[in-house]
Amino acid sequence: MSEGKVALITGVTGQDGSYLSELLLSKGYEVYGLVRRTSQPTLGRSLINHLNSNENFHLINGDLTDQASIDNAFKEVQPDEFYNLGAQSFVPESWRSPLMTADVTGMGSLRCLEALKRNKPDCRYYQAGSSEQFGEVREIPQTEMTPFHPRSPYGCAKVFAFEITRNYRESYGLYACTGILFNHESPRRGLEFVTRKVTMTAARIAAGFDEYLSIGNVDAKRDWGYAGDYVEMQWRMLQQDEPDDYVIATGETHSVKEFIDLAFFHVGMELTWEGEGVDRIAKDQNGVVRVRTNPKFFRPAEVELLIGKYDKAEATLGWKPSITFTGLVQMMVDSDVALVAEAKERGYAPPMPPE
Ligand code: NAP
Ligand code: G4F
């Protein structure tokens, strides 16, 4: 148990922030989450609504683009542990809004480190790093020693965040770590990311709301794990004698096409693929087209293959993934089938992935 400890989390309204908050509360922490001001204060916070009644859970206003707000949060909360999970985290958006992405995802981490150094230098710092830092991969599998070659403004911002975290550790003796986390998913994943887009669309098709899935590059391969497991490692990184950086991955890679096949199979559709590139389609066992390729979902520069080697995390943090790839797909499909069924029963439109 960690009774009496205080944690401050950025990105608390996101997938990882919600799971990490639950984990820390279960360990007896006082948890503070930094949230951005919105015009409708309750919107966009649905992943943490269930925590609002917990007396150890608090929200504090601030923004990663605003140094004063982060300084104020440190002064007010005096955290023992700080988790910087906040980011513009959607890779395609980083080409549309590269400066904002660099500011929030890259400079935001430097602002947090500065606030920590000035206001609470003994606070332990976790930086959310990404396998997108490896990008055009220089070796297979990727480890803590693999050189970076990011392929998007998002990946570049995460490389900066990684390097500045290491530099502040070496320059000022801070306890600051980066977890280089490979893709991790869950029923709480944003609907714009490919896994949740596929599971929600499969559930909507099975219930008659949509006819087909519109998709981009189905040959891309990712190392997909379960977010609930990954936040446990974020916490463990801050409980060691010495700060360090770790790869967290499953050691398996699967294509987007494999993910789609499994998700549709789980709702009773066996897909057969035809065509190549942007002309690719998939039909179900009745010959109905259920997947169509759409060029608008292809990226200016793609990360074709990610697969991580987690030996260091296993040896030091006792890391092992708990859920198989098939188990993850089924968990997400089951959750979305239930959400769609609930919407249908209550007479409102089920959630729809953004176009
Ligand atoms: P997510 O669901 O997209 O959540 C992002 C969070 O960042 C949200 O709470 C968002 O708040 C907040 N945020 C965005 N801009 C902000 C700003 N200007 N100031 C303060 N907060 C801001 O991301 P996630 O999947 O939980 O990932 C958590 C972290 O891990 C991110 O840094 C992501 O880049 C990184 N990561 C994720 C994965 C993955 O596979 N999930 C893998 C590697 C690394 P709003 O609700 O207000 O938008
Ligand atoms: O689900 P994605 O959008 O995730 P991506 O780009 O791998 O990034 C996620 O994981 C990173 C860790 O490696 C995080 F740092 C980052 O914050 C984020 O959480 O796309 C996965 C793959 C890509 O190759 C993409 O081209 O799926 C391919 N894809 C094919 N069709 C699609 C689609 N991606 C999306 N979002 N939508 C499509 O229609």
Side-chain angles (χ1 to χ4, degrees), residues 89-91 130-132 154 181-183 189 192-194 197 214-217 220 222 256 297 299 302-303 306:
S89 77
F90 188 44
V91 172
S130 167
S131 47
E132 280 288 305
Y154 169 82
L181 271 53
F182 283 61
N183 299 52
R189 187 57 143 148
E192 67 274 39
F193 298 94
V194 77
K197 174 176 173 176
S214 191
I215 201 76
N217 176 16
R222 290 290 182 275
V256 172
F297 295 116
R299 299 178 180 186
E302 177 64 282
V303 172
L306 290 174

Side-chain angles (χ1 to χ4, degrees), residues 10-17 34-36 38 44-45 47 62-65 84-90 104-105 127-131 154 158 181-185 188-190 192-193 234:
T10 71
V12 71
T13 52
Q15 171 188 258
D16 289 12
L34 191 86
V35 291
R36 295 191 278 176
T38 51
R45 306 258 161 84
L47 297 182
D63 194 301
L64 282 165
T65 59
N84 184 31
L85 309 185
Q88 190 303 94
S89 77
F90 188 44
V104 175
T105 307
Q127 170 60 36
S130 167
S131 47
Y154 169 82
K158 284 292 184 187
L181 271 53
F182 283 61
N183 299 52
H184 44 282
E185 318 294 316
R188 300 184 191 176
R189 187 57 143 148
E192 67 274 39
F193 298 94
Q234 297 171 359

Side-chain angles (χ1 to χ4, degrees), residues 101-323:
T101 302
D103 198 15
V104 175
T105 307
M107 284 295 287
S109 61
L110 175 53
R111 293 188 185 101
C112 293
L113 287 159
E114 263 301 304
L116 183 150
K117 176 168 77 69
R118 292 181 209 165
N119 299 295
K120 190 74 168 63
D122 63 341
C123 172
R124 295 186 168 202
Y125 178 91
Y126 173 81
Q127 170 60 36
S130 167
S131 47
E132 280 288 305
Q133 293 165 213
F134 298 122
E136 182 77 43
V137 298
R138 303 283 184 84
E139 62 179 347
I140 300 171
Q142 296 85 53
T143 74
E144 292 81 3
M145 303 306 291
T146 304
F148 298 138
H149 183 152
R151 294 274 281 171
S152 63
Y154 169 82
C156 295
K158 284 292 184 187
V159 169
F160 173 76
F162 173 88
E163 295 294 358
I164 201 68
T165 302
R166 180 161 63 184
N167 179 261
Y168 267 50
R169 178 169 77 220
E170 293 173 357
S171 303
Y172 303 113
L174 302 181
Y175 189 113
C177 311
T178 298
I180 307 175
L181 271 53
F182 283 61
N183 299 52
H184 44 282
E185 318 294 316
S186 75
R188 300 184 191 176
R189 187 57 143 148
L191 285 160
E192 67 274 39
F193 298 94
V194 77
T195 54
R196 187 78 196 289
K197 174 176 173 176
V198 169
T199 60
M200 180 55 82
T201 307
R204 287 172 58 94
I205 292 172
F209 285 99
D210 293 332
E211 193 180 314
Y212 64 88
L213 167 73
S214 191
I215 201 76
N217 176 16
V218 296
D219 293 322
K221 290 183 156 183
R222 290 290 182 275
D223 179 328
W224 278 297
Y226 171 53
D229 287 347
Y230 285 48
V231 299
E232 167 82 22
M233 290 309 115
Q234 297 171 359
W235 174 75
R236 284 197 199 177
M237 279 178 223
L238 297 199
Q239 314 310 314
Q240 306 306 307
D241 291 338
E242 297 296 330
D244 209 343
D245 306 318
Y246 296 90
V247 159
I248 305 293
T250 69
E252 275 185 37
T253 192
H254 297 275
S255 66
V256 172
K257 180 173 169 294
E258 282 176 80
F259 194 105
I260 295 171
D261 281 336
L262 267 177
F264 277 73
F265 185 74
H266 201 54
V267 296
M269 294 181 197
E270 269 183 81
L271 298 180
T272 308
W273 292 79
E274 294 173 11
E276 290 297 325
V278 292
D279 294 323
R280 221 158 188 188
I281 57 167
K283 293 179 179 166
D284 68 15
Q285 61 272 34
N286 301 315
V288 180
V289 177
R290 294 303 186 185
V291 184
R292 289 184 190 276
T293 306
N294 185 334
K296 92 173 182 193
F297 295 116
F298 283 71
R299 299 178 180 186
E302 177 64 282
V303 172
E304 296 290 351
L305 166 73
L306 290 174
I307 178 166
K309 190 170 182 200
Y310 60 84
D311 290 11
K312 181 176 170 183
E314 184 174 23
T316 313
L317 307 176
W319 159 247
K320 269 221 177 299
S322 77
I323 292 180

